[in-house]
Amino acid sequence: MNKLPVIFDHDGGIDDLLSLMLLLTMEHVDLKGVTITPADCFLSDATSSTLKILKLFGREDVPVAQGRLHGINPFHYDWRAQPKMVNALPIMIRTKENRDLIVKQPADVFIAEQLEQAEHPITVLMTGPCSNLTAALELNPNAKNGLERLVWMGGAVDVKGNVATHNHDGSAEWNVYWDYLSANRLLKSGINITLMPLDATNCLPIDHAFLSELAQHSEHRLVDLAGQFWACTVASIPSYEFTYFLWDVMATCVLGIEPDAIKVENCKLSVAIHEPNEGQTYRDEKSGNNVDVVVKAEREKVITYLIKQLKSSNHNITNL
Ligand code: AGV
Ligand code: CA
């Protein structure tokens, strides 16, 4: 079987780390590298969690590159600190990280090199802001040829966003908002994009119903560990603005789930770059760029797929 070559660019949030776990359960994926954006996390925490999850899955062959680029709108410090809880779980403390996996190149340079040298075009899965990939494509004009498609958790097309701050009308989603100038250029670059926006992820809040469904399967060690990770997000519940959703994990599902679980619509989108809606991803028939937008997802199919995958890879987990 020809495996799907993938680079995973994430920003260290709890669902980014869960996405890494899910990705590592996918037998058809050939993970070429993990790159980190220091956005909704602290770089050192996110590096640690990444290395430990790779170690848990026995994947000390996967290079890890750290990002050096910072966005315009920093994430709240409370949110950036959330993943510290994950790193404080006993299993994560016990698992020793292998820092030899960290490459010397910064994330943007690493991505540019990987795309340029790709034997088969690479799929980039991105669950944070897009600064690393945009920079990579601009560093090296050949890099674009090595990119099969980008699957990105970001944006809010026909629903409200999740940015709630001064001088903003609330229409933007945070991953786009953090570095909206890069997002604007990325859409214009003409690459193949599948977007997983809030429109689709809103159907899966990390609420008690979801956590209970997961808990029914927690005799499987990886499902139990995932449940522990998600439990670290519940301080966000049930606040109206700050509910946690399955965001990044749903974007990761796109790589493996049956196509009938999601509804994709080709839309012309632009990214706003001025107040009061900078970072908004809006429909723009006249000058927008083509993007495959996941407009809807089947909640139960996503949960079933997720649990199936987590169960399937039990044998890979070493020292739980
Ligand atoms: O907007 C969703 C993105 C996802 O990539 N992130 C978190 C996910 O990793 C930002 C975000 C929005 N609301 C949040 C976020 C919250 N309440 N806590 C932490 N991060
Ligand atoms: Ca994220």
Side-chain angles (χ1 to χ4, degrees):
M1 180 175 78
N2 275 341
K3 290 200 176 195
L4 184 74
V6 172
I7 290 176
F8 180 33
D9 185 275
H10 74 73
D11 72 333
I14 295 177
D15 60 332
D16 297 82
L17 303 175
L18 283 151
S19 299
L20 176 58
M21 284 189 199
L22 176 60
L23 192 61
L24 291 169
T25 69
M26 294 183 186
E27 302 250 323
H28 70 289
V29 164
D30 172 15
L31 188 55
K32 297 285 187 194
V34 178
T35 55
I36 302 171
T37 307
D40 199 4
C41 66
F42 292 99
L43 187 60
S44 58
D45 297 342
T47 305
S48 252
S49 336
T50 300
L51 294 172
K52 288 180 178 212
I53 291 169
L54 288 171
K55 175 87 169 212
L56 277 171
F57 278 81
R59 290 300 304 271
E60 289 171 82
D61 58 313
V62 179
V64 174
Q66 296 179 302
R68 59 176 171 176
L69 305 171
H70 293 267
I72 306 152
N73 295 306
F75 275 95
H76 303 299
Y77 275 73
D78 294 357
W79 293 3
R80 295 181 68 188
Q82 265 172 6
K84 287 182 183 294
M85 272 192 274
V86 160
N87 280 352
L89 292 172
I91 175 75
M92 294 293 274
I93 290 178
R94 282 205 312 273
T95 305
K96 297 286 167 250
E97 58 198 53
N98 178 355
R99 300 193 68 87
D100 294 345
L101 303 193
I102 304 173
V103 298
K104 60 179 191 314
Q105 301 96 316
D108 54 320
V109 174
F110 176 83
I111 296 174
E113 286 176 6
Q114 290 287 317
L115 293 180
E116 194 199 8
Q117 295 159 12
E119 221 174 291
H120 303 288
I122 293 177
T123 297
V124 173
L125 170 66
M126 198 160 74
T127 58
C130 65
S131 320
N132 289 334
L133 178 62
T134 306
L137 295 172
E138 291 171 356
L139 267 178
N140 188 337
N142 292 330
K144 208 167 143 179
N145 303 327
L147 179 67
E148 173 72 25
R149 98 166 144 150
L150 165 67
V151 176
W152 186 20
M153 191 283 129
V157 179
D158 298 320
V159 298
K160 77 191 259 295
N162 59 12
V163 169
T165 187
H166 298 288
N167 293 35
H168 201 278
D169 67 5
S171 58
E173 180 281 328
W174 262 101
N175 286 344
V176 181
Y177 178 64
W178 194 75
D179 183 358
Y180 56 84
L181 293 177
S182 288
N184 177 274
R185 299 203 303 282
L186 187 69
L187 253 67
K188 289 195 165 104
S189 73
I191 60 163
N192 240 328
I193 303 178
T194 301
L195 199 66
M196 175 63 76
L198 301 184
D199 305 60
T201 62
N202 280 346
C203 75
L204 253 164
I206 311 302
D207 55 12
H208 218 74
F210 170 72
L211 293 174
S212 306
E213 206 165 330
L214 208 63
Q216 283 171 21
H217 301 270
S218 56
E219 75 280 7
H220 292 265
R221 295 192 299 184
L222 191 52
V223 182
D224 188 52
L225 183 62
Q228 292 180 34
F229 272 42
W230 266 307
C232 297
T233 72
V234 297
S236 307
I237 298 174
S239 151
Y240 180 66
E241 292 290 354
F242 298 139
T243 304
Y244 216 92
F245 290 84
L246 221 69
W247 298 301
D248 296 350
V249 172
M250 287 181 70
T252 308
C253 284
V254 170
L255 300 187
I257 204 165
E258 293 300 325
D260 72 344
I262 53 175
K263 187 171 160 220
V264 180
E265 189 193 316
N266 189 267
C267 308
K268 282 198 179 300
L269 290 190
S270 287
V271 176
I273 54 168
H274 298 292
E275 273 188 36
N277 62 329
E278 68 271 33
Q280 183 186 10
T281 44
Y282 62 95
R283 290 181 186 264
D284 180 2
E285 274 309 317
K286 227 172 95 205
S287 42
N289 289 93
N290 279 314
V291 175
D292 284 326
V293 177
V294 183
V295 288
K296 193 173 174 292
E298 302 291 334
R299 183 192 149 95
E300 282 312 314
K301 286 188 179 163
V302 172
I303 296 177
T304 305
Y305 173 72
L306 179 65
I307 292 174
K308 181 189 83 157
Q309 281 304 121
L310 293 175
K311 282 181 171 178
S312 76
S313 93
N314 249 353
H315 62 279
N316 279 338
I317 295 284
T318 47
N319 75 5
L320 251 190

